[in-house]
């Protein structure tokens, strides 16, 4: 079967980190998969692409309106004749759904968060099958988007890696290294995180030299974040380095991983952090509702972010040893729930549900 894996763009977002594993799994099952981006990339090519040696096609050299991108993709369809269009992210879904409707090609759509654009909701029935990257997203697809259960499946997009280097637990004496990885977009809630940390250090100024927060990423919010650091007098405490492809080395140098976003589905960065043995501090959303367990794998940031962050940090400074205990439990959790066999089996179940199609020439 020939599959077009259609995405909005090649950025360093959550869904993009998993594309090499997704494509490899589909190819291992005997399918021909082509990666197609609707828009040109603005950031660096994701490191996983470089390491996997994947190729891709961009439909335009600059951002264009839907009719132009759709016309370009229809031309690609005419030339390559795919059996399935597999879409991911909002604009990718839109282009794929329109093209599938025009050419009579079944569309499968990936959903990575419990939140969609209005046009995604309106066109939801144009996709033959929806795939959620976590149970929370699956529930959203069924109960909020009103997609029948038989047209919704799940595929958690993370694989545990036994060979990943491990982080060293915090000794309670050195500077507490807190970190996060992600594109610098408003939805990541990094502004709110910096504000919350600023408030905490106003209350506990003696801890200013004992905390370091590093947010690894790039994107349109960088200038606002840099201004916020200055506004809250957090220079030297909050670092905003450019995105680095060596994420594992960055994570293994931390003592605690934080994810303030409240719009996540399957947060791959959180699971990568758990894989290196880091405790997690995160909102109870998406798959993190299950993975981040208070008193076991980390700290749940429920309710008001400022209060939740302050409470968690106080718990850590009172008993630094809990970070090592939580980190070990976090690694065990991803080992038990996200191994390679489970990842492959999920792909097999989805493939088994794909509609049988006639060759495009017969349509």
């Amino acid at each position: 079967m020939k599959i077009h894996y259609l995405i909005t763009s090649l950025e360093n977002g959550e869904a993009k980190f998993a594309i090499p594993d997704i494509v490899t799994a589909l190819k291992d099952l005997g399918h021909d998969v082509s990666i197609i981006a609707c828009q040109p990339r603005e950031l660096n090519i994701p490191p996983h692409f470089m390491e996997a040696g994947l190729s891709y096609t961009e439909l335009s050299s600059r951002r264009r309106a839907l009719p132009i991108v759709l016309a370009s993709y229809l031309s690609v369809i005419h030339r390559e004749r795919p059996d399935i269009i597999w879409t991911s992210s909002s604009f990718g879904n839109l282009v794929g759904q329109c093209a599938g409707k025009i050419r009579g090609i079944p569309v499968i759509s990936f959903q990575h968060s419990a939140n969609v654009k209005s046009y995604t909701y309106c066109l939801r029935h144009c996709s033959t099958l929806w795939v959620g990257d976590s149970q929370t997203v699956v529930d959203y697809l069924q109960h909020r988007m009103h997609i029948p259960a038989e047209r919704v499946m799940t595929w958690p997009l993370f694989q545990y890696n036994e060979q990943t280097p491990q982080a060293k637990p915090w000794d309670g004496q050195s500077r507490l290294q807190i970190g996060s990885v992600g594109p610098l977009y408003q939805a990541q809630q990094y502004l709110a995180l910096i504000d919350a940390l600023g408030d905490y250090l106003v209350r506990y100024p003696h801890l200013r030299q004992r905390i370091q927060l590093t947010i690894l990423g790039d994107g349109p919010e960088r200038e606002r974040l840099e201004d916020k650091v200055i506004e809250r007098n957090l220079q030297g405490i909050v670092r905003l380095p450019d995105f680095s492809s060596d994420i594992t080395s960055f994570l293994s140098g931390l003592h605690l991983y934080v994810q303030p976003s409240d719009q996540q589905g399957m947060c791959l960065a959180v699971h990568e952090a758990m894989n290196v043995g880091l405790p997690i501090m995160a909102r109870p959303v998406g798959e993190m509702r299950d993975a981040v367990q208070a008193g076991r794998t980390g700290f749940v940031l429920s309710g008001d972010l400022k209060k939740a962050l302050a409470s968690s940090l106080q718990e850590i400074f009172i008993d630094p040893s809990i970070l090592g205990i939580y980190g070990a439990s976090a690694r065990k959790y991803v080992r038990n729930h996200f191994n390679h066999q489970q990842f492959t089996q999920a792909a097999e179940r989805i493939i088994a549900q794909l509609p049988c199609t006639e060759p495009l020439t017969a349509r």
Side-chain angles (χ1 to χ4, degrees):
M1 183 181 296
K2 180 174 284 189
I3 300 173
H4 274 180
Y5 195 88
L6 188 69
I7 59 177
T8 299
S9 63
L10 288 167
E11 305 286 11
N12 287 316
E14 285 301 317
K16 288 73 176 178
F17 279 118
I19 289 175
D21 286 342
I22 294 169
V23 172
T24 298
L26 295 175
K27 286 184 175 180
D28 287 346
L29 291 171
H31 302 287
D32 180 7
V33 186
S34 298
I35 302 171
I36 300 174
C38 297
Q39 298 173 349
R41 59 186 174 86
E42 295 179 349
L43 307 177
N44 295 326
I45 297 176
H48 291 58
F49 269 83
M50 303 294 289
E51 295 166 3
L54 296 176
S55 61
Y56 60 91
T57 299
E58 289 183 340
L59 295 178
S60 175
S61 60
R62 58 188 178 92
R63 290 182 177 270
R64 308 296 291 269
L66 173 63
I68 297 174
V69 176
L70 179 58
S72 178
Y73 182 46
L74 289 173
S75 177
V76 174
I77 289 177
H78 180 74
R79 181 174 66 252
E80 298 188 1
R81 302 180 181 276
D83 300 299
I84 294 288
I85 300 173
W86 196 317
T87 69
S88 178
S89 57
S90 298
F91 192 67
N93 288 342
L94 177 60
V95 174
Q97 288 168 329
C98 291
K101 190 74 171 177
I102 293 170
R103 297 305 304 267
I105 304 173
V107 176
I108 299 170
S109 294
F110 243 132
Q111 182 62 27
H112 304 287
S113 69
N115 183 41
V116 298
K117 303 285 189 182
S118 57
Y119 57 74
T120 303
Y121 180 83
C122 292
L123 296 176
R124 64 194 184 283
H125 296 305
C126 291
S127 296
T128 304
L129 184 68
W130 284 85
V131 180
D133 67 2
S134 65
Q135 188 56 48
T136 295
V137 173
V138 167
D139 292 341
Y140 175 81
L141 290 169
Q142 292 180 13
H143 304 305
R144 298 291 298 276
M145 290 184 66
H146 309 294
I147 299 170
E150 63 271 16
R151 291 175 50 205
V152 178
M153 301 190 73
T154 183
W155 189 1
L157 301 181
F158 176 76
Q159 292 188 78
Y160 170 76
N161 183 355
E162 184 70 42
Q163 306 305 317
T164 300
Q166 297 300 284
K168 294 181 180 179
W170 187 42
D171 58 13
Q173 302 300 317
S174 60
R175 200 166 193 177
L176 176 63
Q177 298 293 332
I178 307 172
S180 189
V181 179
L184 304 184
Y185 297 142
Q186 185 174 358
Q188 293 287 355
Q189 298 289 315
Y190 287 137
L191 279 173
L193 175 63
I194 294 171
D195 254 337
L197 180 60
D199 278 12
Y200 179 77
L201 293 177
V202 167
R203 291 181 60 191
Y204 303 99
H206 63 286
L207 296 177
R208 286 182 62 87
Q209 301 306 312
R210 299 196 64 195
I211 295 178
Q212 178 91 65
L213 170 63
T214 304
I215 301 172
L216 186 67
D218 207 349
E221 286 280 292
R222 172 172 292 281
E223 186 174 345
R224 292 186 65 195
L225 293 173
E226 291 172 341
D227 290 343
K228 177 62 70 173
V229 170
I230 296 172
E231 175 191 327
R232 297 310 306 261
N233 191 28
L234 294 174
Q235 302 95 316
I237 297 172
V238 176
R239 297 175 60 247
L240 297 166
D242 290 336
F243 183 81
S244 168
S245 61
D246 195 358
I247 296 173
T248 301
S249 293
F250 170 71
L251 293 174
S252 61
L254 300 176
H255 302 124
L256 173 67
Y257 188 90
V258 61
Q259 177 51 260
S261 174
D262 58 3
Q263 297 183 22
Q264 295 288 336
M266 181 76 186
C267 185
L268 294 176
V270 161
H271 291 78
E272 293 280 1
M274 296 176 79
N275 201 150
V276 306
L278 286 175
I280 307 299
M281 184 185 289
R283 293 283 201 180
V285 295
E287 207 282 327
M288 290 180 290
R289 281 187 176 139
D290 297 322
V292 184
Q293 301 165 12
R296 186 176 179 188
T297 63
F299 309 86
V300 179
L301 298 175
S302 298
D304 182 77
L305 179 61
K306 294 180 179 180
K307 292 181 180 179
L309 179 73
S311 175
S312 298
L313 289 175
Q314 282 300 91
E315 187 177 348
I316 291 167
F317 281 108
I318 290 172
D319 184 6
S321 67
I322 61 175
L323 292 186
I325 297 171
Y326 293 175
S329 295
R331 181 173 168 83
K332 182 178 179 181
Y333 179 89
V334 293
R335 182 176 66 236
N336 292 340
H337 290 80
F338 301 104
N339 58 55
H340 176 71
Q341 181 180 6
Q342 291 166 320
F343 186 87
T344 302
Q345 288 174 345
E348 290 174 341
R349 288 193 294 269
I350 293 168
I351 290 296
Q353 291 297 313
L354 296 184
C356 296
T357 60
E358 301 174 358
L360 191 60
T361 53
R363 297 186 187 118

